[in-house]
Amino acid sequence: MFTRIDHVGIAVHDLEKSISWYETTFGLTVASREVNEEQGVREAMLFVADSPAGGSYVQLLEPTRQDSPVGKFLARNGEGVHHIGYGVDDVENALASIGAQGVRLVDQRPRHGSMGASIAFLHPKDTGGVLTELVQAAKR
Ligand code: MC0
């Protein structure tokens, strides 16, 4: 079902400071920056590697409000890995198949994600404590 790791989402307090650290320390470059008000994040995708199935990224996430998922996560855990995003060919099919196995779906239908992707989250309480995101990348 999964075609690749699309991205690793990392919760940060200060997006610009974290971008600089990833650029300087690992030589990564920013592929996109967006504010997603629905999700309550200001985020940047830093390109890591390409594959026939699509790119892989580090996604740095700063909350735009304290009561958002990333704001609550930071208050509880501090900075760190927030979620894993797996590439899928068809997010609606993947959701139906995973939901049929009894995994709680945070999103019943796909939402708008970074770089034009269609995304949907699975509940971390049903995925071994790892917030899991399905990502159908925009056509390229
Ligand atoms: C919360 N929990 C987590 C977690 N967030 N566990 C592992 N990883 C995480 N990231 C755990 C808490 O510790 C808590 O456990 C329980 O889940 C309930 O958390 P809560 O925050 O008190 O409760 P809810 O229900 O308000 O929220 C949890 C839920 C939410 C997963 C439904 O965070 C959510 O909707 N997340 C999906 C959306 C999202 O994360 N958006 C930001 C990235 P205990 O044991 O204390 O009960 S947006 C993004 O990434 C987009 C832009 C993109 O990729 O393109």
Side-chain angles (χ1 to χ4, degrees):
M1 183 182 298
F2 295 159
T3 59
R4 68 194 187 285
I5 291 178
D6 182 273
H7 65 269
V8 177
I10 298 174
V12 303
H13 288 294
D14 183 331
L15 183 62
E16 295 310 319
K17 205 167 142 191
S18 293
I19 289 173
S20 293
W21 189 85
Y22 274 81
E23 287 175 336
T24 306
T25 310
F26 298 138
L28 298 186
T29 53
V30 174
S32 85
R33 285 173 193 254
E34 290 178 41
V35 177
N36 186 326
E37 281 300 354
E38 184 185 36
Q39 297 285 354
V41 292
R42 185 175 298 115
E43 52 98 0
M45 294 289 256
L46 282 72
F47 177 75
V48 177
D50 215 348
S51 81
S56 291
Y57 302 86
V58 171
Q59 181 183 49
L60 302 176
L61 300 155
E62 179 191 297
T64 57
R65 44 179 200 272
Q66 293 316 306
D67 65 347
S68 62
V70 175
K72 283 159 75 176
F73 179 92
L74 275 171
R76 195 183 282 131
N77 307 293
E79 294 187 323
V81 175
H82 178 260
H83 68 266
I84 309 277
Y86 292 101
V88 295
D89 287 331
D90 184 322
V91 67
E92 293 194 23
N93 277 351
L95 270 180
S97 160
I98 294 166
Q101 295 175 67
V103 175
R104 229 175 319 162
L105 310 177
V106 173
D107 301 305
Q108 301 291 330
R109 291 197 188 79
R111 297 200 210 197
H112 165 75
S114 191
M115 301 199 295
S118 290
I119 62 165
F121 284 91
L122 312 177
H123 203 287
K125 291 296 171 191
D126 284 355
T127 53
V130 180
L131 179 61
T132 301
E133 180 183 347
L134 308 176
V135 183
Q136 181 183 332
K139 295 245 181 309
R140 54 177 187 168

